[in-house]
Amino acid sequence: MDSFLTHLGQLIEQYPAWTYVIIGAGMAIQGEITIVLAMYLVAGKILSLGQFFIATFVIVVLYEHVLFFFSKGMRHTRLGWKLYRKHKSKRRIQLYTYFLKKNLVRLIIIAKFVPGMNFLVIALAGWSRVSLRLFTTSYIIAVSLWFAGISAIAYFVVSGLHYLKAAQIFKNAEIGIIILIILIFAVEYLIKRFVRVREFEIEKKKQKEILAETEEYEEEREDFWGPRNNKKENQDI
């Protein structure tokens, strides 16, 4: 781990222009881990706070807005509708679409911690024709809370590890980084389990709603036509 971080720091020092490309690509793949590693470089004075903010927060906002507009544009293509018809019946798609209308901010925050979910939620928001104003407002609130929380945790942990290493109290500070990364994966796993449970609960709720609507329809039909057996007897007469 130490060797990897050392080589990463040397690469950024030798090729500053690649800083945003490397960290930006990491944000697109795994945001929390990238923030931790980038904050390690900040604590080591290899990366400035300004560079850190642009390479993480600004780039991820721009990237995901591009994804939003791309998904919105896909609605006007045959490929877009083909993909939608293929996947629209999936329980996960139905759940995310349901929460898009209920609480977009909460959905985006949760999606940030679940690999793969974030991409899908942003794409669905664009496909579902969520207004740019609503999406941007909800997105900035959600991502700011997520970014501030992860950055604060990463800063305090990494700064403490750097201090312990400099004071020769705990020389293998990189082990602390690995433990933090493992904890992040554990939290993501728990959130993913929570999302799966909610998927099941929403599906059961929808089934009950459909059953209630069916029963209500049957009652209205019987009030108008009478019971099915009576109607059949009347037809035979």
Side-chain angles (χ1 to χ4, degrees):
M1 186 70 178
D2 186 20
S3 179
F4 170 75
L5 292 172
T6 301
H7 286 308
L8 181 61
Q10 291 174 351
L11 181 64
I12 289 175
E13 286 181 326
Q14 292 176 5
Y15 306 99
W18 283 93
T19 301
Y20 305 109
V21 176
I22 295 169
I23 298 178
M27 289 297 295
I29 298 169
Q30 226 300 338
E32 296 81 25
I33 306 303
T34 303
I35 289 174
V36 171
L37 296 179
M39 191 60 75
Y40 184 89
L41 298 177
V42 171
K45 298 182 180 180
I46 297 173
L47 196 68
S48 69
L49 281 174
Q51 288 176 311
F52 168 79
F53 181 76
I54 294 173
T56 53
F57 185 82
V58 174
I59 286 182
V60 80
V61 168
L62 291 175
Y63 157 71
E64 291 183 345
H65 270 75
V66 169
L67 175 60
F68 172 78
F69 284 114
F70 176 79
S71 301
K72 184 170 282 193
M74 285 291 287
R75 195 177 180 90
H76 303 288
T77 66
R78 290 183 179 180
L79 177 61
W81 281 101
K82 184 178 180 181
L83 291 172
Y84 176 72
R85 283 192 294 268
K86 182 179 179 181
H87 298 287
K88 68 177 181 179
S89 60
K90 291 184 178 179
R91 185 174 62 187
R92 185 169 297 176
I93 299 293
Q94 293 177 353
L95 176 68
Y96 298 166
T97 304
Y98 173 82
F99 272 105
L100 277 175
K101 302 173 184 177
K102 294 291 182 180
N103 196 324
L104 186 56
V105 174
R106 185 187 300 175
L107 180 63
I108 293 174
I109 291 176
I110 294 174
K112 279 293 178 184
F113 289 97
V114 181
M117 181 178 173
N118 182 64
F119 178 88
L120 191 55
V121 167
I122 302 297
L124 273 176
W127 177 267
S128 302
R129 292 185 292 192
V130 173
S131 68
L132 177 61
R133 182 178 179 180
L134 174 61
F135 173 76
T136 301
T137 303
S138 302
Y139 179 85
I140 293 298
I141 293 172
V143 173
S144 296
L145 292 172
W146 166 79
F147 180 79
I150 296 296
S151 297
I153 293 170
Y155 176 78
F156 286 116
V157 172
V158 169
S159 297
L161 290 172
H162 263 281
Y163 171 78
L164 293 174
K165 186 176 181 180
Q168 295 185 346
I169 299 172
F170 183 60
K171 295 182 180 180
N172 296 321
E174 289 72 22
I175 295 176
I177 299 293
I178 294 173
I179 292 172
L180 180 58
I181 291 173
I182 291 172
L183 288 174
I184 289 173
F185 279 124
V187 170
E188 289 181 346
Y189 173 77
L190 292 174
I191 293 175
K192 189 174 182 179
R193 288 290 301 272
F194 167 77
V195 170
R196 286 182 176 177
V197 170
R198 285 295 292 156
E199 286 177 4
F200 181 72
E201 290 175 352
I202 293 297
E203 186 177 24
K204 286 182 66 177
K205 183 179 178 181
K206 284 187 174 182
Q207 288 176 351
K208 288 181 179 179
E209 290 175 354
I210 292 171
L211 181 61
E213 290 176 359
T214 303
E215 290 176 350
E216 184 179 352
Y217 168 77
E218 287 294 330
E219 289 175 359
E220 292 179 356
R221 193 202 65 79
E222 288 181 1
D223 289 340
F224 185 79
W225 292 103
R228 290 182 179 274
N229 292 336
N230 292 347
K231 183 181 176 183
K232 185 178 181 180
E233 291 174 359
N234 293 336
Q235 288 177 346
D236 292 339
I237 293 171

